[in-house]
Amino acid sequence: MSATEIDEAKLEAFMGQAVTDMGAVVSAPLMLIGEKLGLYKAMAGAGPLSSQEVAERSGAAERSVREWLANQAAGGYVSYDPETDRYTLPDEHALALADEESPFYILGAYELIASLFADEQQILEAFRSGEGMGWHEHDHRLFRGTERFFRPGYRGNLVPEWIPALEGVQEKLEAGAKVADVGCGHGASTIIMAEAFPNSEFFGFDYHQASIDRAREAAREARVEDRITFAVATAKDYPGTDYDLVCVFDCLHDMGDPVGASEHILSTLDADGTWMIVEPFANDRIEENLNPVGRVFYGASTVICTPASLDQEVGLALGAQAGEARLTDVLKQGGFTRVRRATETPFNLILEARP
Ligand SMILES: C[S@@+](CC[C@H](N)C(=O)[O-])C[C@H]1O[C@@H](n2cnc3c(N)ncnc32)[C@H](O)[C@@H]1O
């Protein structure tokens, strides 16, 4: 291509976007450092602070903190007042950066992202071979990062919004129901439900032993181990029958054989039972997902979810942006007759499937 064919404005606009993105990527480890050293927490609700004050409050070295603050100010994560040489973490940003209990907390995602750099070579080889890469083969930060990335959304939505959106399920859970959380990972969703519905009995299943070990520990820490049983099992062979509610949180698309999983789930459900499918939010067409949320999910899907499915039997590889129509087709192939969108958030689609 000759120089005369280059649209200078287009090039400039693209380079502007690329440098913005580069700044975000370079800042990612700084965000993890900010979390681990308590820098965001030191600033939360404190108003304008000098670098010395942030350093004193967090116990970190001032010179490094000063450089970190300038990076955070350049990205708009904190504000800077040149008159006073002080930095402020706005209250709205503190919800996302300093409060793990807030539904807006985002720093878990950065632990997940960090794992991808460690796995790059193996992911690259999976691209070449087409053979995929199992969930269990990833750097351990993926497991904890996923738990910490998703838990705030589950805390904010699962009990107050998603369960009430299902037909007749809340009443059953309050009275005492039998629930399976399939592909439960570290059990964040299972524990949140067990805390809210003490009369119900919960079973968490995942094929990944290390995740089940961590889920058991988390249940003990939350003091709900009396009503949860965690066990290693796949979505196609987990034990038990007559479940009133089966849930899959952000994992149907990770499975190699989601149709086979649907068939097994149907066979374990009570005749009047409900299957709640929580998936990443997506529209049905690629062009409808080309937005910031879709960018994050297609990225994760490329390096985590699609290889995870390809690594298993069948290897259907739905991808994390399958969309309601494709998901409904899978559920119906598995034998479910009634499928509807129960509710949604900007990040999740919640489908209800009934026998
Ligand atoms: C993205 S993580 C979601 C974990 C958890 N549900 C959550 O929302 O935090 C996907 C999970 O699906 C599990 N998984 C993948 N394939 C599975 C299968 N065939 N049977 C059971 N679990 C599976 C993985 O081990 C992993 O824990």
Side-chain angles (χ1 to χ4, degrees), residues 253-256 304-313 315-318:
H253 66 272
D254 291 308
M255 295 173 192
I304 305 167
C305 318
T306 303
S309 176
L310 289 172
D311 182 62
Q312 298 183 16
E313 74 284 5
L316 192 65
L318 283 172

Side-chain angles (χ1 to χ4, degrees), residues 150-156 158-159 187-197 228:
F150 291 163
R151 195 200 293 111
Y154 298 158
R155 262 227 183 282
L158 176 50
V159 172
S189 49
T190 337
I191 291 168
I192 288 167
M193 291 189 288
E195 285 171 339
F197 301 104
I228 307 186

Side-chain angles (χ1 to χ4, degrees), residues 8 29 32 36 110 161 251 275 290 334 347:
E8 292 292 337
L32 285 169
K36 287 185 183 146
Y110 288 82
E161 305 289 342
C251 61
W275 180 16
L290 301 183
F347 295 105

Side-chain angles (χ1 to χ4, degrees), residues 40-277:
Y40 295 114
K41 282 201 174 116
M43 298 183 77
L49 294 173
S50 67
S51 56
Q52 187 59 44
E53 287 165 335
V54 177
E56 279 164 12
R57 282 167 166 253
S58 61
E62 188 279 333
R63 184 64 193 90
S64 293
V65 169
R66 199 189 328 152
E67 217 65 7
W68 181 88
L69 282 165
N71 160 276
Q72 296 291 297
Y77 279 45
V78 305
S79 62
Y80 176 61
D81 179 3
E83 302 281 313
T84 58
D85 194 21
R86 283 180 149 70
Y87 299 85
T88 304
L89 179 66
D91 291 341
E92 296 77 10
H93 299 198
L95 281 176
L97 299 168
D99 178 3
E100 287 109 330
E101 296 308 314
S102 144
F104 303 101
Y105 191 71
I106 57 167
L107 292 178
Y110 288 82
E111 192 172 359
L112 180 164
I113 291 164
S115 78
L116 303 180
F117 283 95
D119 293 334
E120 185 203 326
Q121 186 59 33
Q122 208 176 331
I123 293 164
L124 183 150
E125 279 154 22
F127 260 71
R128 285 209 177 102
S129 71
E131 280 172 14
M133 176 177 178
W135 175 266
H136 60 282
E137 293 180 82
H138 281 267
D139 181 273
H140 66 95
R141 286 170 292 184
L142 174 66
F143 315 131
R144 213 173 80 106
T146 300
E147 174 200 350
R148 297 199 311 118
F149 183 26
F150 291 163
R151 195 200 293 111
Y154 298 158
R155 262 227 183 282
N157 296 297
L158 176 50
V159 172
E161 305 289 342
W162 298 348
I163 287 172
L166 305 172
E167 210 185 315
V169 169
Q170 175 151 352
E171 297 73 16
K172 288 186 192 171
L173 291 175
E174 280 164 358
K178 184 175 170 187
V179 182
D181 186 355
V182 178
C184 64
H186 284 189
S189 49
T190 337
I191 291 168
I192 288 167
M193 291 189 288
E195 285 171 339
F197 301 104
N199 295 330
S200 289
E201 193 183 5
F202 296 85
F203 297 85
F205 301 112
D206 198 289
Y207 90 112
H208 184 223
Q209 175 76 57
S211 288
I212 288 298
D213 292 344
R214 172 59 201 144
R216 285 189 181 129
E217 197 178 278
R220 278 194 296 277
E221 284 162 14
R223 296 176 191 278
V224 289
E225 74 270 33
D226 60 325
R227 57 199 100 124
I228 307 186
T229 306
F230 284 112
V232 173
T234 77
K236 283 165 60 175
D237 71 4
Y238 68 86
T241 52
D242 299 321
Y243 289 102
D244 299 293
L245 175 67
V246 175
C247 313
V248 295
F249 291 89
D250 215 308
C251 61
L252 186 68
H253 66 272
D254 291 308
M255 295 173 192
D257 183 12
V259 174
S262 304
E263 285 166 357
H264 184 66
I265 289 169
L266 182 61
S267 75
T268 68
L269 261 188
D270 180 76
D272 188 38
T274 300
W275 180 16
M276 174 166 65
I277 302 100

